[in-house]
């Protein structure tokens, strides 16, 4: 246990360190991991989100069939939410002193998820479910990686992860609903 005196000394030391290397912004000397590794990982997630935005946009525009209107709206909504994830990740990279990699060259190869157009509504929903499951697995891995090293990034990733799980659940519900409609 720390006594009051030690805590005050700690505060003095924290205040002293906070005045150093101001050019490094939010990354202080007690940052728990290698910040370059953190930025590289987050940039992979950036690429994944870009691919997800584009795939959902394609599906929102190109889905056809009698039952497609409500599904199109759901695809469009998901595209917006994936874009919000992209913004959050890019902001965090910036806070960590890095550059978000928004160069369109090579986005597909940096991403974990794939851009698949899909043929027909069911196929599109299946591809989206697959992509969400890939996103879920990679975000879970990242949450474990950041652990206590960088709690801010971890909690950001946890929020995104929760929404990817919702997306996967919604795609699964659509798949079940549309499969039943066909039989
Ligand atoms: Fe996302
Ligand atoms: Fe998603």
């Amino acid at each position: 246990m720390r006594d009051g005196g030690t805590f005050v000394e700690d505060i003095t030391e924290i205040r002293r360190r906070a005045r150093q290397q101001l050019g490094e912004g939010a990354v202080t000397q007690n940052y728990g991991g290698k910040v370059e590794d953190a930025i590289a990982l987050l940039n992979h997630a950036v690429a994944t989100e870009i691919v997800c935005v584009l795939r959902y946009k394609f599906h929102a525009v190109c889905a056809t069939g009698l039952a497609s209107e409500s599904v199109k709206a759901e695809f469009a909504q998901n595209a917006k939410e994936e874009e919000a994830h992209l913004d959050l990740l890019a902001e965090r990279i910036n806070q960590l002193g890095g550059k978000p990699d928004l160069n369109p060259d090579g986005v597909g190869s940096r991403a974990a998820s794939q851009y698949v157009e899909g043929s027909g509504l069911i196929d599109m929903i299946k591809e989206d479910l697959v992509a969400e499951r890939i996103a879920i697995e990679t975000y879970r891995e990242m949450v474990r990686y950041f652990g206590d090293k960088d709690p801010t990034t971890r909690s950001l990733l946890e929020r995104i992860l929760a929404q990817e799980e919702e997306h996967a659940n919604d795609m699964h519900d659509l798949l079940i609903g549309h499969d039943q409609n066909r039989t």
Side-chain angles (χ1 to χ4, degrees):
M1 279 294 285
R2 290 164 165 172
D3 59 29
T6 312
F7 181 70
V8 172
E9 278 166 36
D10 284 353
I11 286 289
T12 310
E13 172 59 14
I14 288 168
R15 284 178 181 159
R16 189 191 65 76
R17 285 205 309 260
R19 290 186 178 279
Q20 294 177 331
Q21 289 159 327
L22 290 180
E24 290 180 15
V27 181
T28 56
Q29 284 176 23
N30 74 345
Y31 186 83
K34 269 182 81 182
V35 73
E36 312 82 61
D37 293 348
I39 290 164
L41 268 177
L42 292 172
N43 264 324
H44 277 290
V46 160
T48 298
E49 295 294 351
I50 294 171
V51 167
C52 289
V53 171
L54 296 175
R55 194 193 57 255
Y56 273 124
K57 276 191 186 291
F58 178 85
H59 290 176
V61 170
C62 295
T64 51
L66 275 179
S68 71
E69 280 314 310
S70 64
V71 183
K72 276 170 174 259
E74 198 150 342
F75 288 155
Q77 179 62 31
N78 284 8
K80 278 194 195 132
E81 289 172 1
E82 307 298 8
E83 192 177 347
H85 298 165
L86 170 61
D87 291 345
L88 289 168
L89 293 164
E91 287 290 347
R92 185 60 186 152
I93 290 168
N94 185 256
Q95 282 176 1
L96 291 173
K99 267 199 315 191
D101 191 350
L102 297 174
N103 188 335
D105 290 343
V107 164
S109 58
R110 292 197 300 274
S113 58
Q114 291 165 300
Y115 182 89
V116 183
E117 291 185 352
S119 54
L121 195 59
I122 298 288
D123 213 32
M124 287 178 178
I125 299 168
K126 275 186 187 162
E127 288 304 331
D128 290 326
L129 176 56
V130 168
E132 294 294 352
R133 293 172 77 164
I134 291 168
I136 288 166
E137 282 213 16
T138 52
Y139 279 121
R140 275 196 201 129
E141 288 286 318
M142 287 172 73
V143 164
R144 277 195 281 270
Y145 171 83
F146 282 99
D148 294 335
K149 287 190 257 191
D150 179 345
T152 313
T153 302
R154 188 196 65 223
S155 70
L156 173 79
L157 295 170
E158 283 170 345
R159 273 187 284 145
I160 296 176
L161 171 61
Q163 201 156 38
E164 307 301 11
E165 290 187 357
E166 266 175 43
H167 290 168
N169 197 44
D170 293 346
M171 289 302 120
H172 181 253
D173 287 350
L174 284 178
L175 196 57
I176 302 285
H178 284 267
D179 264 352
Q180 278 168 354
N181 285 345
R182 290 201 307 179
T183 52

